[in-house]
């Protein structure tokens, strides 16, 4: 039995409680006011069968507003996420349909003095991040676990999976934080295949330039987070962390969860750092722990920035899969962890209450929900060679473009063949 974790007023939804709320949508047509960023801010009323692209509005000129005010309504239904499986990626990035890479959290001293720079030069194997894996690992997991997902209802033959969306948790995190994101845009490729929508990120030009031009200092600081994991995680329940070992960022343990946001059935996977080693801890995902490092906070300005920017990202990332706590290592300028603090996800919205103009969980969730509705309505062609590319640039609407047989197509042949083969044999029986 899964217990429902209290998440402040942003609780996960109990399957049995009925929650009636007015539903609104922040779609708007870009052409309406003649220019971007200026809207009539009409909140469309609900009906999901409403056609937004009727009349003379060309499909290519429509967008989804990212203005925060449009999303300040009741918190949408978000079901308690359920782990339906997990997988591991080994030191060579090979896929395993099991939890072999799951590690166990070992609580450090409150002031541990971990040196995060140790091993950067000689005990670090870095994943090649120019290799784009797209959704491949999740798709492998799906093929290996079809029985847990296939549609049981006879009338639902065209939908191979019985979920509306398949994606990485990290892509959803980006959606949650979009109304507050003033620096980085994103590109999300979406394909409809057998009535499931697959969402896979495409690296923006700006992100590619940044990746290719990182300073030595930045490269080293990216290592610090992984080094902190090594100081606090053990490979087995009874062993201790091994700070003398090699840090290899190819290795990963990923949970696969199923949940629902309003009427969107979601299947996504996210990397999990470690779990509580207490055998009496609740089952996954409630036993999972997210590890973070952050610069130590010395001034009120730094505290405010931490609340406004860091806690938003931490909350969004862990709330999605139902990971209940973040353990943060605060480090100084030289990469020494000077203090460690636990942040329960359910308490984060209290912590930010006194911050002026701060982010709101409900805005994040409602924006994500409306984006997914926008995608459902837009991505109508059920064809793996067709990609709808959704684009966000800070302070702009989300817009999209359509691409046939392009560089953006991302569902691999092996996946489509297997889904088609098993589905056809299903419908014959
Ligand atoms: O190819 C890429 N650019 C991406 C690869 C983008 C996003 C994810 N990934 C891969 C990751 O390597 C990992 O196997 O997908 C898996 C994780 O997906 P996710 O959980 O949906 O991603 P996210 O929530 O953004 O990141 C979770 C963790 C990170 O932890 P922190 O505490 O830094 O948020 O996954 C790791 C990282 O530990 N991670 C990566 N590791 C290596 N290379 C990367 C990356 N590019 N991105 C995230
Ligand atoms: Ca982490």
């Amino acid at each position: 039995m899964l217990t429902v974790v209290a998440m402040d007023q942003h609780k996960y939804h109990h399957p049995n409680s009925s929650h009636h709320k007015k539903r609104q949508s922040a779609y708007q047509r870009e052409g309406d006011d003649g220019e971007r960023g200026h809207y009539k801010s009409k909140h469309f009323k609900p009906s999901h069968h409403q056609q937004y692209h009727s009349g003379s509005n060309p499909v290519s000129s429509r967008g989804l507003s990212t203005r925060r005010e449009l999303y300040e309504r009741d918190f949408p239904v978000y079901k308690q996420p359920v782990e339906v499986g997990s997988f591991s990626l080994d030191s060579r990035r090979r896929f395993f349909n099991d939890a072999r890479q799951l590690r166990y959290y070992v609580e450090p001293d409150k002031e541990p003095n971990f040196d995060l720079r140790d091993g950067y030069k000689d005990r670090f194997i870095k994943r090649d991040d120019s290799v784009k894996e797209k959704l491949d690992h999740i798709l492998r997991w799906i093929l290996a676990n079809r029985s847990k997902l296939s549609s049981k209802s006879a009338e639902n033959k065209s939908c191979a999976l019985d979920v509306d969306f398949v994606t990485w948790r990290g892509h959803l995190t980006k959606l949650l934080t979009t109304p507050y994101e003033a620096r980085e845009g994103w590109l999300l490729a979406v394909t409809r295949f057998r009535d499931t929508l697959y969402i896979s990120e495409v690296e923006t030009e700006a992100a590619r330039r940044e990746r290719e031009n990182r300073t030595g200092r930045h490269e080293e600081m990216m290592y610090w987070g992984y080094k902190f994991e090594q100081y606090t995680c053990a490979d087995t329940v009874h062993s201790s962390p091994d700070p003398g070992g090699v840090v290899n960022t190819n290795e990963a343990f990923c949970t696969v969860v199923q949940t629902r946001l309003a009427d969107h059935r979601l299947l996504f996977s996210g990397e999990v750092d470690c779990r509580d080693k207490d055998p009496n801890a609740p089952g996954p995902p409630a036993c999972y722990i997210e590890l973070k490092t952050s610069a130590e906070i010395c001034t009120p300005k730094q505290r405010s920035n931490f609340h406004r920017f860091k806690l938003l990202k931490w909350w969004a990332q862990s709330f999605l899969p139902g990971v209940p706590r973040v353990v943060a290592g605060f480090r100084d300028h030289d990469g020494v962890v000077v203090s460690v603090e636990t942040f329960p996800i359910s308490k984060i919205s209290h912590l930010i209450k006194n911050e002026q103009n701060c982010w709101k969980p409900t805005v994040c969730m409602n924006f994500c929900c409306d984006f997914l509705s926008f995608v459902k309505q837009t991505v109508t062609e059920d064809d793996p060679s067709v990609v709808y590319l959704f684009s966000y640039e800070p302070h702009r609407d989300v817009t999209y473009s359509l691409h046939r047989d392009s560089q953006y197509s991302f569902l691999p042949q092996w996946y489509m063949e297997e889904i088609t083969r098993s589905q056809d044999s299903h419908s014959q029986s």
Side-chain angles (χ1 to χ4, degrees):
M1 261 294 271
L2 261 163
T3 49
V4 174
V5 187
M7 305 300 273
D8 186 26
Q9 67 268 58
H10 317 292
K11 292 189 180 81
Y12 296 114
H13 190 76
H14 287 261
N16 297 326
S17 73
S18 62
H19 229 77
H20 298 290
K21 49 193 48 160
K22 59 173 189 283
R23 308 209 38 214
Q24 297 170 322
S25 167
Y27 293 116
Q28 58 86 38
R29 284 165 304 203
E30 226 178 90
D32 280 1
D33 294 316
E35 62 180 305
R36 292 175 133 187
H38 176 219
Y39 320 105
K40 291 194 180 109
S41 76
K42 281 265 154 44
H43 285 201
F44 282 91
K45 271 268 164 105
S47 156
H48 267 275
H49 311 290
Q50 194 171 333
Q51 281 292 319
Y52 291 99
H53 48 134
S54 58
S56 60
N57 292 289
V59 168
S60 61
S61 74
R62 292 181 313 120
L64 176 69
S65 176
T66 59
R67 291 173 63 209
R68 298 164 198 176
E69 316 86 85
L70 299 179
Y71 302 96
E72 294 202 10
R73 50 184 198 262
D74 289 348
F75 202 77
V77 167
Y78 189 62
K79 265 187 62 192
Q80 171 88 42
V82 172
E83 179 176 81
V84 289
S86 58
F87 60 85
S88 296
L89 304 173
D90 74 357
S91 59
R92 291 160 59 191
R93 210 69 185 165
R94 289 175 303 192
F95 174 94
F96 293 90
N97 185 31
D98 58 42
R100 69 182 65 190
Q101 293 290 349
L102 175 57
R103 294 174 298 175
Y104 298 82
Y105 178 65
V106 177
E107 196 176 334
D109 280 1
K110 286 255 173 294
E111 294 166 28
N113 283 314
F114 293 145
D115 177 7
L116 301 179
R117 303 174 87 158
D118 178 52
Y120 177 64
K121 288 268 152 65
D122 54 328
R123 297 191 325 278
F124 178 30
I125 298 170
K126 188 177 169 290
R127 186 177 89 92
D128 180 353
D129 53 14
S130 67
V131 176
K132 300 304 173 202
E133 301 173 327
K134 296 171 269 196
L135 299 185
D136 291 9
H137 298 306
I138 303 178
L139 303 181
R140 269 185 204 101
W141 181 89
I142 290 174
L143 291 188
N145 297 275
R146 284 297 300 286
S147 56
K148 296 180 183 173
L149 294 167
S150 316
S151 176
K152 283 157 204 91
S153 63
E155 73 266 29
N156 208 2
K157 282 267 160 61
S158 69
C159 177
L161 292 182
D162 228 16
V163 297
D164 300 313
F165 293 94
V166 170
T167 193
W168 282 107
R169 175 269 310 274
H171 302 358
L172 295 172
T173 306
K174 285 194 179 176
L175 289 171
L176 261 61
T177 59
T178 296
Y180 300 104
E181 183 54 64
R183 287 210 297 235
E184 288 170 20
W186 48 250
L187 289 169
L188 292 171
V190 185
T191 283
R192 187 186 282 266
F193 175 54
R194 303 231 159 178
D195 265 351
T196 292
L197 293 145
Y198 296 83
I199 306 180
S200 179
E201 186 175 32
V202 172
E203 189 175 47
T204 63
E205 273 306 306
R208 186 184 56 81
R209 275 197 303 274
E210 211 186 272
R211 178 171 55 77
E212 287 172 351
N213 296 300
R214 280 180 204 136
T215 63
R217 166 92 180 162
H218 187 190
E219 285 282 352
E220 182 177 341
M221 287 175 71
M222 289 177 64
Y223 166 78
W224 292 358
Y226 297 104
K227 186 65 189 178
F228 181 61
E229 293 175 12
Q230 191 191 51
Y231 277 115
T232 52
C233 297
D235 287 342
T236 63
V237 192
H238 299 292
S239 63
S240 300
D242 174 21
V246 171
V247 169
N248 186 325
T249 59
N250 288 295
E251 297 173 3
F253 166 77
C254 295
T255 179
V256 182
V257 307
Q258 222 172 340
T259 185
R260 181 164 59 80
L261 171 58
D263 60 345
H264 307 302
R265 297 168 300 166
L266 314 178
L267 179 75
F268 59 85
S269 175
E271 193 171 325
V272 168
D273 293 325
C274 57
R275 62 157 290 160
D276 190 329
K277 66 179 158 69
D278 182 347
N280 297 317
C287 61
Y288 291 151
I289 299 168
E290 173 64 37
L291 301 172
K292 294 289 182 194
T293 57
S294 195
E296 63 176 323
I297 297 165
C298 306
T299 67
K301 178 80 185 154
Q302 286 168 347
R303 174 164 304 275
S304 172
N305 282 336
F306 174 75
H307 287 164
R308 298 169 65 88
F309 305 110
K310 271 281 161 78
L311 286 184
L312 164 60
K313 298 229 160 105
W314 293 4
W315 173 83
Q317 183 186 42
S318 289
F319 181 77
L320 280 164
V323 171
R325 55 197 161 130
V326 173
V327 171
F330 290 97
R331 48 96 192 146
D332 64 17
H333 188 79
D334 301 319
V336 174
V337 175
V338 292
S339 68
V340 174
E341 210 177 315
T342 298
F343 292 87
I345 293 301
S346 62
K347 300 240 172 91
I348 286 181
S349 61
H350 298 304
L351 279 175
I352 61 164
K353 283 263 157 68
N354 293 327
E355 215 60 68
Q356 300 276 305
N357 285 319
C358 208
W359 56 276
K360 295 190 177 98
T362 199
V363 169
C364 300
M365 297 303 282
N366 282 315
F367 174 77
C368 182
C369 187
D370 282 10
F371 173 79
L372 297 177
S373 301
F374 180 50
V375 167
K376 263 186 192 167
Q377 299 221 330
T378 305
V379 182
T380 49
E381 237 185 290
D382 197 309
D383 182 341
S385 67
V386 175
V387 163
Y388 295 70
L389 188 63
F390 290 82
S391 165
Y392 171 66
E393 290 288 346
H395 311 297
R396 300 248 182 269
D397 293 351
V398 174
T399 57
Y400 71 90
S401 50
L402 200 152
H403 305 264
R404 282 176 207 283
D405 302 307
S406 72
Q407 51 172 335
Y408 298 118
S409 300
F410 60 87
L411 287 180
Q413 207 60 44
W414 52 261
Y415 180 72
M416 300 184 292
E417 277 168 11
E418 181 60 24
I419 290 280
T420 307
R421 201 189 55 73
S422 58
Q423 200 179 357
D424 291 348
S425 67
H426 247 263
S427 51
Q428 275 160 25
S429 64

